[in-house]
Amino acid sequence: MTSPTLTIDTPAGPVRATAGPREADAVVFELGGAMRGSVHVTGTTDPHHWDQFTAIRACLGPVNSFKTTAPAEDLPRLARSRTGYRGSLTLYRYADRPAESVYPMSSATDHPPSERTASVLTAVLRGCAEYVERSADLPAILEDSRQRDTPGLLRFLTWSASYHQAEAARLEREARTAVPALKSAEAAWRTAAHWLAFSPHPVLLLMLADRPGSLTQEIRGLRWRAPYCADAATEEHERARRAQAEADSLRAQQRRRPRGRRPALVSTP
């Protein structure tokens, strides 16, 4: 079967991207024309829903840059340049509209590309990703990507749920201790004010003044701290709940995953 080739218009001129055979969870495009090298396209999670493998990620180089680093000599470069570049682009949907995010691009020596070069790299990544997004093999690529990434995601989400629950408990403790601390500080302020009325003294003035370390500033901070910690604890509980829900969803998908599929060539859209 002839490998499908697409032509991508870029500020540096046309780039030809030829899709190789699907490698289970990815397609690798060999580049020609205004660029040399390759682009690795695979499935990934929606940036806002880590249990939903509905997005496409294109990486500069022959490998998944989120799993391994390609040698400098294997990084894509403009046809008349010796500088290779790293980076990636993710296609997904947000509020039922197409969206994309670009991972910061840099050269093999960690220098950012020029604006023109960045436009070329982005156009090539977008073109390859959109091609795979329209291909008949997309469901298989997304499923294989889910199986590839699920174990690591489950470890992270389990840790995340535990971490956010611990943070919520810490913040709730701080909110509780702030209430009696505020009452004590207010009582001390009233006592100092009473003493000052009968016997003016510089120390009492410093205690009541609006300055760092004074009772006035302590009271202001404690009045703010209790509701802040309570609200932050609620947010941490929600983060923990979401992480746990996404982990449960991934485990459910693992139990019902299809079997027996074989890799195939990316078909022409």
Side-chain angles (χ1 to χ4, degrees):
M1 180 181 294
T2 303
S3 296
T5 298
L6 59 151
T7 300
I8 304 167
D9 292 326
T10 77
V15 175
R16 296 187 303 277
T18 302
R22 177 165 68 86
E23 301 173 1
D25 59 4
V27 178
V28 176
F29 291 81
E30 293 301 324
L31 307 177
M35 273 190 70
R36 298 287 187 270
S38 55
V39 168
H40 183 283
V41 182
T42 187
T44 189
T45 58
D46 182 293
H48 305 285
H49 304 280
W50 287 19
D51 60 326
Q52 298 178 18
F53 280 79
T54 55
I56 299 294
R57 184 173 65 239
C59 304
L60 292 169
V63 297
N64 185 349
S65 63
F66 279 55
K67 293 293 181 181
T68 186
T69 301
E73 61 269 19
D74 291 340
L75 296 175
R77 62 202 68 208
L78 298 183
R80 298 181 180 180
S81 173
R82 296 181 179 179
T83 303
Y85 290 94
R86 296 187 176 95
S88 67
L89 178 145
T90 300
L91 294 183
Y92 61 102
R93 296 191 69 81
Y94 182 72
D96 292 327
R97 294 182 180 180
E100 69 178 39
S101 62
V102 179
Y103 192 83
M105 297 181 187
S106 65
S107 69
T109 54
D110 292 328
H111 291 93
S114 67
E115 184 175 345
R116 178 175 179 272
T117 299
S119 297
V120 175
L121 300 174
T122 301
V124 171
L125 287 173
R126 184 186 298 116
C128 293
E130 288 177 343
Y131 187 89
V132 172
E133 188 178 42
R134 296 191 301 268
S135 76
D137 279 344
L138 178 61
I141 291 171
L142 293 175
E143 172 59 22
D144 287 335
S145 299
R146 184 189 64 75
Q147 293 187 32
R148 175 198 69 210
D149 288 346
T150 290
L153 280 172
L154 283 175
R155 288 192 294 272
F156 169 74
L157 291 170
T158 300
W159 169 86
S160 181
S162 177
Y163 170 80
H164 289 302
Q165 284 286 27
E167 279 295 287
R170 180 185 66 80
L171 288 163
E172 287 170 342
R173 287 194 299 271
E174 288 195 22
R176 288 193 298 270
T177 58
V179 174
L182 174 61
K183 291 181 179 179
S184 296
E186 289 175 336
W189 189 97
R190 288 192 295 270
T191 299
H194 178 75
W195 288 347
L196 183 65
F198 288 96
S199 178
H201 193 280
V203 173
L204 294 174
L205 288 172
L206 290 175
M207 291 174 66
L208 298 174
D210 190 2
R211 59 180 296 277
S214 69
L215 285 171
T216 298
Q217 284 214 347
E218 182 182 357
I219 289 170
R220 182 180 294 127
L222 288 169
R223 284 175 176 170
W224 163 86
R225 187 153 192 81
Y228 167 80
C229 287
D231 290 344
T234 299
E235 293 175 359
E236 290 295 325
H237 277 304
E238 175 57 24
R239 293 187 183 102
R241 183 205 64 76
R242 180 170 177 175
Q244 187 61 55
E246 289 179 334
D248 292 342
S249 173
L250 284 172
R251 291 190 181 96
Q253 292 176 57
Q254 271 189 318
R255 289 193 292 269
R256 62 173 182 265
R257 69 184 182 186
R259 299 178 182 274
R261 253 191 356 270
R262 294 181 296 177
L265 286 173
V266 172
S267 56
T268 304

